[in-house]
C-alpha cells in the first residue's frame, strides 16, 4: 500500500526487517466493562516479501513466497537396544511428534492504549524473526477473553456499553487498534 500522511515506514535500504517483539493496543478499552487481560492472535496470513541483497545500491529485487510454520520434532536419544530391534525406524520411533506438522499459533495479551510508547514488558516474542513485510495479517480477538459471554464481550468491545434504558449501546467501544512491532534489520548492501 502507498505511504500516506501520518503513516510509518520501514527503511527500504535494508533488505530484511524482522520482528523482535509484537504488541497489540486497544484505544479506549480501559473505560469499558470488560476483562483486564484480553487476548489476541496475530497471524501472518499472506505472502512474505524480502528484498534480495545485491552489490548494486540501486537494485533491490523483491522476492515473495508463502511461509508455512511447521514444527520440527525433537529426537529422543538412541541407545543400542533401539538399534537391535529389527522393526525400529528413526522417523517412527525416535521423534516426539509428527515431522512437518503445522505449528499452532498461541494467543498473547493485548493492552489498553494509554497513549505512551509500549515497553518491552508488553511485547510478545512469538513472532520473533518473522518478516514484517507480509501481504496480509490476521488479527483475531476472541470474545471469550473479553467477557464470560463472548458475544456480549464483542458487542461491548465494538459498540460500547448498553444504555441504562436497554434501547441500545452508547457507541463508545474501542475506537482504534494499534499493532506495534519492535524490529531489527540487516543492511541491504554486500
Amino acid at each position: 500500500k502507498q505511504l500516506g500522511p501520518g503513516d510509518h515506514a520501514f527503511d527500504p535500504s535494508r533488505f530484511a526487517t524482522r520482528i523482535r517483539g509484537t504488541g497489540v493496543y486497544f484505544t479506549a478499552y480501559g473505560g469499558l466493562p470488560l476483562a483486564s487481560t484480553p487476548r489476541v492472535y496475530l497471524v501472518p496470513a499472506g505472502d512474505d516479501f524480502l528484498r534480495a541483497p545485491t552489490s548494486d545500491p540501486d537494485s533491490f529485487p523483491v522476492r515473495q513466497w508463502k511461509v508455512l510454520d511447521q514444527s520440527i520434532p525433537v529426537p529422543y536419544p538412541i541407545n543400542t537396544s533401539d538399534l537391535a530391534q529389527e522393526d525400529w525406524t528413526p522417523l517412527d520411533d525416535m521423534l516426539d511428534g509428527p515431522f512437518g506438522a503445522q505449528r499452532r499459533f498461541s494467543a498473547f495479551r493485548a493492552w489498553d492504549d494509554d497513549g505512551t510508547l509500549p515497553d518491552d514488558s508488553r511485547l510478545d516474542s512469538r513472532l520473533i524473526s518473522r518478516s514484517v513485510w507480509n501481504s496480509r495479517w490476521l488479527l483475531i480477538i476472541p470474545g471469550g477473553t473479553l467477557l464470560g459471554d463472548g458475544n456480549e464481550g464483542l458487542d461491548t468491545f465494538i459498540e460500547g456499553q448498553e444504555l441504562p434504558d436497554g434501547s441500545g449501546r452508547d457507541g463508545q467501544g474501542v475506537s482504534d487498534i494499534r499493532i506495534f512491532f519492535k524490529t531489527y534489520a540487516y543492511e541491504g548492501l554486500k
Side-chain angles (χ1 to χ4, degrees), residues 123-144:
L123 297 178
D124 185 83
S125 63
R126 185 189 58 76
L127 291 170
I128 196 163
S129 79
R130 289 295 303 256
S131 172
V132 296
W133 192 3
N134 275 275
S135 61
R136 195 175 84 177
W137 289 91
L138 179 64
L139 178 65
I140 301 167
I141 305 168

Side-chain angles (χ1 to χ4, degrees), residues 139-163:
L139 178 65
I140 301 167
I141 305 168
T145 68
L146 302 173
L147 278 180
D149 178 349
N151 290 328
E152 176 65 23
L154 287 172
D155 288 345
T156 303
F157 181 86
I158 297 166
E159 297 294 330
Q161 301 180 51
E162 270 197 58
L163 296 171

Side-chain angles (χ1 to χ4, degrees), residues 35-36 41 52 74 91 94 142 154 163 165 169 190:
S36 297
Y41 296 90
V74 178
L91 283 177
M94 71 175 272
L154 287 172
L163 296 171
D165 63 5
R169 295 188 175 270
K190 288 184 183 180

